[in-house]
């Protein structure tokens, strides 16, 4: 079973990656989703600066505080703001009732870009690798952490150099461009996606759909 968003290849999808500054993974994921859907060039770091310039409490619509995390509910509002600016009509909604099959359905049909937020507790940070490299790039993760990425692929033939299957492919915010996506093992992805996210619940996801 192999699904890549809109049938694009890995290097084409990975080209949408933008490196985060500070705690900006969700802003990068939103920007990547808007660009993927529209062909526009929303720059995540510019949006980070725009959001951080908003005074409290108005900033709460988009971010918990300047430099802070962006919850799934706030990701919805940020996606609406970015899309309005680039004149892209979308529907954005936080969705806490998706399961594995629901994610696969969205990948198979490319009906919406899906942001997923994963989480972990001390000693249980999920493994995240780049391309076919088996090195875990999430080592030394925070004792309690959350991370938002854009899900763009499921490939049950994606085996890394260590012989381990890592089928879930994501646009991540740890580098600019490609040529590779970031990949996770099935058990790691589903377990960490199932961790409760504040103001997002378990299996936290945001759907961004063209109108």
């Amino acid at each position: 079973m192999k699904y890549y968003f809109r049938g694009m290849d890995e290097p084409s999808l990975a080209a949408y990656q933008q490196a985060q500054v500070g705690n900006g993974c969700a802003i990068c994921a939103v920007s990547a989703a808007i660009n993927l859907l529209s062909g526009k060039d929303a720059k995540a770091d510019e949006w980070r600066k725009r959001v951080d310039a908003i005074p409290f409490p108005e900033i709460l619509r988009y971010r918990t505080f300047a430099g802070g995390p962006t919850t799934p509910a706030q990701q919805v509002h940020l996606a609406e703001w970015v899309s309005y600016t680039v004149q892209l009509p979308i529907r954005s909604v936080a969705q806490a009732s998706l399961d594995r099959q629901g994610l696969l359905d969205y990948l198979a049909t490319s009906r919406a870009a899906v942001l997923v937020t994963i989480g972990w507790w001390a000693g249980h940070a999920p493994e995240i690798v780049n391309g076919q490299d088996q090195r875990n790039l999430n080592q030394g993760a925070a004792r309690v952490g959350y991370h938002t990425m854009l899900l763009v692929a499921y490939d049950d033939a994606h085996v890394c150099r260590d012989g381990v299957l890592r089928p879930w492919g994501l646009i991540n915010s740890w580098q600019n461009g490609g040529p590779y996506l970031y990949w996770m093992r099935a058990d790691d992805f589903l377990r960490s996606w199932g961790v409760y996210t504040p103001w997002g619940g378990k299996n936290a996801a945001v759907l961004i759909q063209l109108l």
Side-chain angles (χ1 to χ4, degrees), residues 72-142:
Q74 291 166 333
Q75 293 168 28
V76 169
H77 296 307
L78 180 60
E80 292 170 345
W81 186 17
V82 177
S83 65
Y84 176 80
T85 302
V86 301
Q87 298 181 321
L88 179 73
I90 66 158
R91 176 176 180 264
S92 182
V93 60
Q95 178 65 268
S97 60
L98 278 180
D99 57 10
R100 174 185 179 277
Q101 188 57 52
L103 291 181
L104 293 176
D105 288 345
Y106 277 106
L107 283 175
T109 61
S110 299
R111 288 186 292 121
V114 182
L115 278 61
V116 292
T117 296
I118 61 172
W120 58 88
W121 304 106
H124 297 282
E127 178 186 86
I128 303 174
V129 306
N130 184 238
Q132 291 185 315
D133 194 339
Q134 71 269 24
R135 289 177 296 173
N136 178 17
L137 301 177
N138 201 34
Q139 286 182 333

Side-chain angles (χ1 to χ4, degrees), residues 10-106:
E10 182 173 0
S12 298
L13 290 166
Y16 288 91
Q17 292 176 146
Q18 300 184 54
Q20 71 187 75
V21 175
N23 197 358
C25 59
I27 296 175
C28 290
V30 168
S31 299
I34 296 299
N35 292 341
L36 186 60
L37 291 170
S38 68
K40 304 287 187 178
D41 187 25
K43 298 186 184 301
D45 196 45
E46 292 180 4
W47 279 100
R48 176 188 65 84
K49 293 174 182 176
R50 291 179 73 169
V51 170
D52 284 352
I54 300 172
F56 188 87
E58 288 81 4
I59 193 175
L60 290 173
R61 183 170 178 82
Y62 305 107
R63 203 171 195 180
T64 52
F65 53 86
T70 303
T71 69
Q74 291 166 333
Q75 293 168 28
V76 169
H77 296 307
L78 180 60
E80 292 170 345
W81 186 17
V82 177
S83 65
Y84 176 80
T85 302
V86 301
Q87 298 181 321
L88 179 73
I90 66 158
R91 176 176 180 264
S92 182
V93 60
Q95 178 65 268
S97 60
L98 278 180
D99 57 10
R100 174 185 179 277
Q101 188 57 52
L103 291 181
L104 293 176
D105 288 345
Y106 277 106

Side-chain angles (χ1 to χ4, degrees), residues 115-192:
L115 278 61
V116 292
T117 296
I118 61 172
W120 58 88
W121 304 106
H124 297 282
E127 178 186 86
I128 303 174
V129 306
N130 184 238
Q132 291 185 315
D133 194 339
Q134 71 269 24
R135 289 177 296 173
N136 178 17
L137 301 177
N138 201 34
Q139 286 182 333
R143 290 178 60 84
V144 177
Y146 295 93
H147 188 53
T148 299
M149 297 178 283
L150 175 59
L151 180 67
V152 290
Y154 182 89
D155 186 345
D156 62 7
H158 186 271
V159 177
C160 294
R161 296 190 187 102
D162 58 357
V164 174
L165 173 65
R166 295 178 175 90
W168 293 97
L170 305 114
I171 286 177
N172 196 7
S173 54
W174 293 347
Q175 70 179 50
N176 286 310
Y180 303 115
L181 297 171
Y182 288 75
W183 297 84
M184 297 182 68
R185 298 196 320 257
D187 57 344
D188 256 1
F189 174 74
L190 294 174
R191 173 179 53 80
S192 57

